[in-house]
Amino acid sequence: MADDREQRASETDPEEALAEPLKAVPARALAPQHEGPVARLVAEIRAGDSPGQTLLATFVAWSATVAPAALSRSAARPAAFVAVVGLVAGLAGPLFRGSRPTLARHVGITAFLALTTGAWLLGSPALTPARLDPLRASVGAIAWGAFALSWRERWETGPSKHEVPKDPDAPLLQARSTLPRGAIPIATVGILSGLVYLVLAWHVRDGDRALAAQAVAVACAVAISVVAAMVAVERGRRSSRSSRRMTPAAGKALLMLVVFVVAGVAVVLMRR
Amino acid sequence: MSRAIDAFAVLLLFAAASAFGFGVHALGQRDDFKAVYLLVIGGLSLRASTELLRPRGGG
């Protein structure tokens, strides 16, 4: 029965029947295997499986984080050699991605990261916290994130499912509740505050305090983002059990806060 | 009353955000006592803000 249906479909619409299997075929398989690497590369770019973004992310990450350490004057000479070999591996790997994906990952990820780590270890004198540039560090962190994303496995899109026809008599789905007023600005302030902490932590130059500042900044950013989201959503909601909002736990927390504030003011006044 | 508590909770949230910011800044200025004090104040403000809006065991 199913064979009859397929046979009928192929007779009625031969172009569609030919196009369906092609949608499920990976893009790299469409590249002609008998042609040269340039033709394969062009075919991959046309199929949307371009290694260009991987090449760009690799080069930017290497330029921002590896080159300044390995090519500086204070770095050992082998560091520059290892860094350049690492760059070659990082740029060569994506080129084989379509034809030999396993080899491409070994060269473009494993070898590149191993050689990059080696270059950093050999050029460690240039990596002291006093020489770190916050802007370059931020660009490098983003570039390494882009590098990781560019090596992701592309999802192959299967044949599209038949759309269910809309029911004109179906009622519109309404949201059960709306956000209280000012929810978005409060959440935005919380998220921006978290980002400010992370930027401030990069300005701590003292080596001992820099690590502590990074940890404290991350913890504060997480805490303020979570509580800001909670405050933004929970305002205006009344307890289901009672309308009383000032619980003993809240009073205790407020009392402790007041005690600490007063103690701090007292210490400042006593120091003068 | 409910609106006043909501506004106070938002105020505590902003106070905590400011305290955390000045605390991290003080850490960079090698003023450890001030940094620890401000971070503790920020933490207590956040806790008080949370307790006001979503008290534990209050449903």
Side-chain angles (χ1 to χ4, degrees), chain A residues 79-103:
Chain A
F81 176 73
V82 173
V84 171
V85 174
L87 177 65
V88 171
L91 295 179
L95 298 177
F96 302 106
R97 193 171 176 176
S99 54
R100 302 185 68 180
T102 307
L103 177 66

Side-chain angles (χ1 to χ4, degrees), chain A residues 24-209:
Chain A
V25 174
R28 64 175 72 99
L30 293 174
Q33 298 295 323
H34 58 278
E35 293 183 15
V38 177
R40 271 208 303 270
L41 193 63
V42 171
E44 286 168 5
I45 290 171
R46 283 182 181 170
D49 201 13
S50 167
Q53 52 182 291
T54 311
L55 290 172
L56 183 64
T58 303
F59 184 73
V60 173
W62 185 88
S63 304
T65 58
V66 183
L71 304 181
S72 67
R73 290 178 184 173
S74 57
R77 189 168 289 179
F81 176 73
V82 173
V84 171
V85 174
L87 177 65
V88 171
L91 295 179
L95 298 177
F96 302 106
R97 193 171 176 176
S99 54
R100 302 185 68 180
T102 307
L103 177 66
R105 285 176 179 274
H106 281 312
V107 174
I109 300 175
T110 310
F112 176 59
L113 292 182
L115 291 166
T116 297
T117 308
W120 276 331
L121 291 175
L122 291 170
S124 54
L127 291 174
T128 53
R131 290 190 175 188
L132 287 179
D133 181 13
L135 181 63
R136 192 189 296 160
S138 305
V139 172
I142 295 170
W144 278 109
F147 171 79
L149 286 175
S150 69
W151 273 103
R152 72 194 184 279
E153 189 66 36
R154 265 81 171 174
W155 287 4
E156 308 297 349
T157 53
S160 59
K161 294 177 182 175
H162 295 289
E163 288 188 5
V164 179
K166 292 178 182 175
D167 183 5
D169 298 330
L172 289 174
L173 293 175
Q174 299 286 346
R176 292 182 182 177
S177 62
T178 56
L179 285 173
R181 278 180 62 189
I184 293 175
I186 290 173
T188 306
V189 167
I191 292 168
L192 289 178
S193 301
L195 291 175
V196 168
Y197 305 154
L198 299 178
V199 172
L200 281 175
W202 281 105
H203 288 277
V204 179
R205 295 288 181 181
D206 190 359
D208 294 333
R209 288 180 177 81

Side-chain angles (χ1 to χ4, degrees), chain A residues 197 209 236 239 241 245 260 264, chain B residues 2 6 17 20 27 32 37 57-58:
Chain A
Y197 305 154
R209 288 180 177 81
S239 169
R241 294 181 185 173
R245 300 284 292 273
F260 264 82
Chain B
S2 179
D6 288 348
F20 281 152
L27 202 60
D32 293 339
Y37 173 73

